[in-house]
Amino acid sequence: MNKDYSRSIPSAWRDIAAVFTALGDEHRQRMLLTFEPGERLNVGQIAQVSTLARSTVSHHLKVLRQAGVLRSEREGKEIYYSVNKHFLEEAFVRVTTYLHNDL
């Protein structure tokens, strides 16, 4: 038993916890799956294909962005979102490494 983490999550795993929390919601999973490889979408485009209100889509996009799952960039008045592929790959490699080395 490793008691080192009984009180807190190590810093290297804090962003992973945020990713799992963000992706724990089915609506956010579907939003993530809406993106084609390399695609950038704005809230209006995502709301068009969603069953949710635009304001709810905006909330979910904020959660995904804060967790690092999505990147955002402003162009004029519009904010475009894209999948933060590099960050997600790194996060899942850390999980995979843990599973292969520690278990």
Side-chain angles (χ1 to χ4, degrees):
M1 178 187 305
N2 186 340
K3 295 181 183 180
D4 292 344
Y5 306 117
S6 63
R7 299 256 187 247
S8 66
I9 295 174
S11 60
W13 275 66
R14 287 194 185 117
D15 54 354
I16 296 170
V19 169
F20 284 129
T21 299
L23 294 178
D25 182 273
E26 186 178 318
H27 295 293
R28 291 192 285 267
Q29 291 172 27
R30 286 198 304 264
M31 282 183 197
L32 181 63
L33 293 169
T34 299
F35 289 85
E36 295 288 340
E39 188 174 42
R40 295 175 344 139
L41 299 171
N42 63 36
V43 68
Q45 292 169 309
I46 297 168
Q48 282 179 338
V49 297
S50 175
T51 60
L52 304 173
R54 185 183 172 110
S55 61
T56 306
V57 169
S58 292
H59 167 75
H60 286 299
L61 289 171
K62 179 181 176 182
V63 171
L64 290 166
R65 184 183 48 78
Q66 288 176 334
V69 174
L70 296 179
R71 290 184 303 237
S72 63
E73 85 184 87
R74 181 178 289 278
E75 285 186 15
K77 293 182 179 183
E78 203 62 60
I79 298 174
Y80 288 90
Y81 297 89
S82 59
V83 176
N84 192 347
K85 183 179 174 180
H86 180 73
F87 171 77
L88 287 173
E89 286 175 341
E90 284 182 355
F92 292 125
V93 162
R94 282 184 268 155
V95 172
T96 303
T97 300
Y98 168 76
L99 293 173
H100 287 279
N101 293 333
D102 292 335
L103 296 181

